[in-house]
Structure formats: C-alpha cells, structure tokens
Amino acid sequence: MYMERTVFLVDMQSFYASLEKVYHPALEDKPVVVAGDPSIRSGVILAACPIAKKWGVQTAEALWEAENKCPDLVVIPPRMQSYIDASIEIGAVLESFSDEVEPYSIDEIFVEMTHSLDLFQESAEEAALRMIRQIKRMLGVNARVGIGTTKVLAKMACDHFAKKTPKGIFTLTETNLESDLWPLPIGNMFGVGKRMERHLKGMGIRTIGHLARFPLDPLKKRWGINGELLWRTAWGWDPSPVTTDTHIRQKAIGHHMTLPRDYYTWKEIKVVLRELSEEVARRARANRYMGITVSTGAGGHDFDLPSGFHRQQKLEDYTNDGVVIYEAAARLFQEHWDGYPVRSIGVTLDGLTPDSYRQLNLFHPIQDREALNQTVDALKSRYGSDAIMHASSLTEAGQAQLRAKKIGGHYK
C-alpha cells in the first residue's frame, strides 16, 4: 500500500536568545539579544528574542544599530558550547519520535515521520504538537514545525508559514503549493540567494509560481543541472532522504575567519593564512581525509564596494599536510591579491578521499611528515589547540591563541 511521505523540519525560535532566557529567568520580559564581541569588532546580532524583534531588531544587523532601535537592549555574548549541548539534547528528544533524524543546523533538524505516524497512530499535526510540548518541557524553548512531503517543502513550510501561525505548525504539500507557496517572491525560495534572485528577476521571474511555470529548457541551458534543481524546488520535488550521516560524508573541509581589523601587508596576511591552513589540515586528519585541491579567498570590509577574490589550485598529490596546503594557498594569494585591505580570509581543502589512499610519484618523492603531524595533533588534543603553534602566531597579526578560546568563532 502506498504511504505518502511525511517530513518534519523542527526549528527553534530565537534559539540562542531563548536559551539565555532559560539560563537567566530574570530576563524573561526583557529585550534580549546574543551578539558577537563588540570589543574587537562592531558586533553582530546572532539572535534576538521576540520582544527585541518587536523593536525592529534583526538578526545579522550591527549591534550599534540594534541599540539605537532599543535603548534597553540586554546584550549577552554567545556561549557556543552551551548551545551545542542544548542542540544535542533536542536531537535526543526527536529520536524518541523517529530513528531518522538529521541535523540541518544547530537549531534546525529534519525528522522522517512517514512510518512513525503509522506506528503511533496519530496525525502529523498531533505528533508535531507533542514534539513542541516535549521540547518546551525538556529545554524551555519554543519550537516550530514545518511539515511537507519532501525535505524542501518541510523547510519552506517552516521558514515562511509555521513561524507565523499560533501553533507554530504548517503543512505544505502539492494540494496547497499553488495557493500558499507560489505567490511568494522568488527571493523567498529555498536555494535562491541575492545574486540568483537578480538573475531570475532579469528573466521576468518574480515569484516562485513564475519559476514553476517557466519552461525548463532555458533554465537548464543557462545553469545546467542547477537550473533544473531550482525548477524542481519550485514544485517541491526533492527525493533526498533524511539521513543521520549527511554531515559525515564531507566533500570539502574549509576554515574562514573574519579579522578584527583590516590587514594591509603580506607579512600580516600570511600569518593568518598559515593558521587557517594548519587548522584545515588538522581537521582533515581528524576526519581521516586527504584532499587534492586547495582554494583560498579574501574579502574587504566594505560591503557596499565589494572587493576580493576566490581561486583554487589542484595539487600533484593528495595531502592533509598543513605545510603543503599553506604553500598552495600562499601562491594563490600572492598571484591574485591586488593589495586592497583584507578583512576576511578563507582556506579550503577539496576533492577529499579517505587517507588510506596515497599515490606514489617517482619524480616527486613525498617527504614523510606524518609522524610529526600526529605528534602535534596529539599535543593539541591533550592540552588544547594553542598548546603548540608557529612562532608567527604570537605576533600582533596572529589569531590562533584567541580562536583557541572559541567555538565557531565565538567564546565557549
């Protein structure tokens, strides 16, 4: 017997700010935001509670802008380890509903409910309400649930509708796709960024419905498989399963850093570039990967006048050695950086393969640094990531010591 698929996307409302209110009950009726450290840069709003949002405070805006809107704003620095721990607890709650649970981000989790609903003999909305109540009881935060017949429909149901309903639940299927989803602006569709939005509008595609009804061939001709993927998303077609190991099978390992100030000289830039290369290499080794392609990029501080580059280079052999990664990144940087002030830098190792693979090359013998790398990894694992580092990281340009105290760029 055919069973229609049911997927949930469970999203936590104002996750970081809501958790801080749980940790600090006296702030329950206050406008609370969690924001980056304003002492080293302007500070950006990472999460705003509903009370702060009523004042017009928005996620990702500068802290000073938020404080101008709401003079009584309570600003709390992020505590990433606490949020990660809470996210893991929420995942455990959801695993009591289904054994197919996939974290999408720290505050969003997909749950395959197709067979669970039949097992528990309840409707999708009844299960969603039970989920929301259990998360509230266990962690004190409010959840919203988008329900769909595919992952992409569940995601858009949550983002555009569930967050606005009294129960925090909305279902999006083929039956209400045309009436509810298609009238939305094309920029609201999952997978459409600002640049793609401009391209689509230039083709006369202004709503999701316009895209759904647009001929497929011109989209494929212009963007290839990505054009077809966008068209399928407008129709809600998404065969991808909810899988517990989605984020284990990596295609690339990268590390990006926003600097506390503009860096003007190669002498300063190469310090951070080396730190990033070593961190990418360490993570590759920890996950038992080697890569064949190194990419690096940089950006300036002025978003109105964007500057920067992103280039990649294929190596002769697979590697997870920080020295090799740094040398490739440095070559790319010196070739493509035009001297503008740099505010952000990134390094990525791509084309990953298990580290059991190594191609022997008679003309370029491999210098065996594995024993040294393993020793360094062991020291950092035991004593912390700042236990051993290049001497250049102790200079004013170095960021390794500061980031050793953080998770995801924010204090633990």
Side-chain angles (χ1 to χ4, degrees):
M1 184 181 73
Y2 171 76
M3 182 180 296
E4 185 176 61
R5 190 182 180 200
T6 304
V7 181
F8 286 7
L9 189 278
V10 185
D11 170 83
M12 308 308 131
Q13 182 183 28
S14 307
F15 188 46
Y16 299 170
S18 295
L19 283 173
E20 291 298 345
K21 286 195 172 189
V22 173
Y23 302 148
H24 305 96
L27 299 177
E28 177 62 31
D29 299 322
K30 304 291 185 181
V32 172
V33 297
V34 174
D37 185 359
S39 66
I40 60 172
R41 53 188 175 132
S42 59
V44 174
I45 303 297
L46 302 177
C49 75
I51 297 175
K53 288 179 179 178
K54 288 181 179 179
W55 285 84
V57 176
Q58 299 177 353
T59 302
E61 76 176 335
L63 177 57
W64 66 267
E65 292 179 304
E67 289 176 324
N68 284 344
K69 294 176 181 177
C70 182
D72 296 325
L73 200 65
V74 179
V75 182
I76 299 178
R79 297 184 295 165
M80 296 307 300
Q81 188 60 59
S82 296
Y83 309 151
I84 292 171
D85 292 342
S87 180
I88 293 171
E89 288 187 56
I90 292 168
V93 170
L94 298 181
E95 286 172 353
S96 67
F97 289 81
S98 171
D99 59 356
E100 296 174 276
V101 175
E102 176 187 332
Y104 180 69
S105 67
I106 192 171
D107 61 348
E108 294 178 292
I109 302 175
F110 283 111
V111 186
E112 180 69 60
M113 293 294 292
T114 306
H115 301 288
S116 298
L117 295 177
D118 186 55
L119 177 65
F120 291 117
Q121 292 292 298
E122 60 186 347
S123 69
E125 184 166 320
E126 288 170 341
L129 283 170
R130 192 158 60 89
M131 241 179 223
I132 290 171
R133 286 195 295 265
Q134 196 158 331
I135 291 171
K136 180 71 172 180
R137 183 169 62 250
M138 295 283 289
L139 288 103
V141 298
N142 295 318
R144 287 81 60 95
V145 180
I147 304 171
T149 49
T150 64
K151 288 167 71 175
V152 73
L153 283 180
K155 171 67 173 167
M156 292 191 287
C158 187
D159 287 350
H160 303 308
F161 304 105
K163 295 179 179 182
K164 301 175 183 177
T165 64
K167 291 182 179 180
I169 301 170
F170 192 86
T171 301
L172 195 57
T173 66
E174 292 181 359
T175 59
N176 61 342
L177 199 67
E178 185 173 355
S179 61
D180 292 318
L181 182 67
W182 285 5
L184 296 182
I186 189 61
N188 285 18
M189 194 180 83
F190 178 73
V192 175
K194 293 294 184 183
R195 181 177 298 179
M196 181 58 71
E197 181 183 6
R198 288 195 298 270
H199 288 314
L200 292 172
K201 284 183 175 179
M203 299 172 67
I205 300 172
R206 299 189 174 276
T207 68
I208 298 176
H210 288 164
L211 177 60
R213 297 186 180 97
F214 200 85
L216 177 58
D217 285 344
L219 296 172
K220 290 176 67 175
K221 185 176 181 180
R222 183 163 182 178
W223 291 297
I225 189 64
N226 290 327
E228 182 171 354
L229 179 61
L230 288 171
W231 184 80
R232 286 178 169 272
T233 299
W235 282 95
W237 297 341
D238 175 18
S240 61
V242 174
T243 53
T244 57
D245 64 346
T246 294
H247 300 281
I248 297 174
R249 298 190 302 269
Q250 290 182 266
K251 295 181 179 178
I253 293 176
H255 204 60
H256 181 274
M257 182 184 301
T258 300
L259 302 170
R261 57 178 174 80
D262 288 341
Y263 279 30
Y264 294 91
T265 67
W266 171 241
K267 182 179 180 181
E268 288 187 314
I269 290 169
K270 69 179 183 180
V271 173
V272 176
L273 203 62
R274 187 185 297 276
E275 292 176 347
L276 293 174
S277 300
E278 292 290 350
E279 176 61 18
V280 167
R282 185 196 64 78
R283 287 171 52 198
R285 294 191 296 269
N287 288 282
R288 304 299 302 273
Y289 284 121
M290 303 176 78
I292 193 68
T293 302
V294 172
S295 61
T296 188
H301 72 282
D302 192 341
F303 293 103
D304 295 325
L305 295 171
S307 58
F309 73 92
H310 187 273
R311 295 290 188 276
Q312 66 180 32
Q313 176 184 342
K314 189 170 184 179
L315 306 174
E316 293 183 351
D317 299 305
Y318 282 87
T319 189
N320 54 17
D321 187 348
V323 172
V324 176
I325 295 171
Y326 166 72
E327 289 174 349
R331 286 193 297 270
L332 288 167
F333 211 102
Q334 290 179 305
E335 182 178 351
H336 298 286
W337 177 51
D338 63 4
Y340 58 82
V342 170
R343 182 60 70 93
S344 63
I345 303 177
V347 175
T348 299
L349 182 64
D350 207 338
L352 301 182
T353 191
D355 65 1
S356 56
Y357 170 86
R358 183 187 290 275
Q359 180 176 339
L360 297 178
N361 190 316
L362 298 177
F363 302 103
H364 299 279
I366 299 171
Q367 182 180 5
D368 190 359
R369 293 171 48 87
E370 290 182 2
L372 175 60
N373 287 332
Q374 289 172 3
T375 301
V376 170
D377 291 345
L379 288 170
K380 289 189 174 186
S381 176
R382 183 170 183 178
Y383 299 109
S385 58
D386 57 347
I388 184 169
M389 63 183 67
H390 289 274
S392 60
S393 292
L394 301 177
T395 65
E396 185 180 351
Q399 297 295 307
Q401 283 185 306
L402 179 64
R403 292 189 69 84
K405 301 179 177 66
K406 298 182 176 184
I407 295 178
H410 302 290
Y411 286 104
K412 303 173 185 179

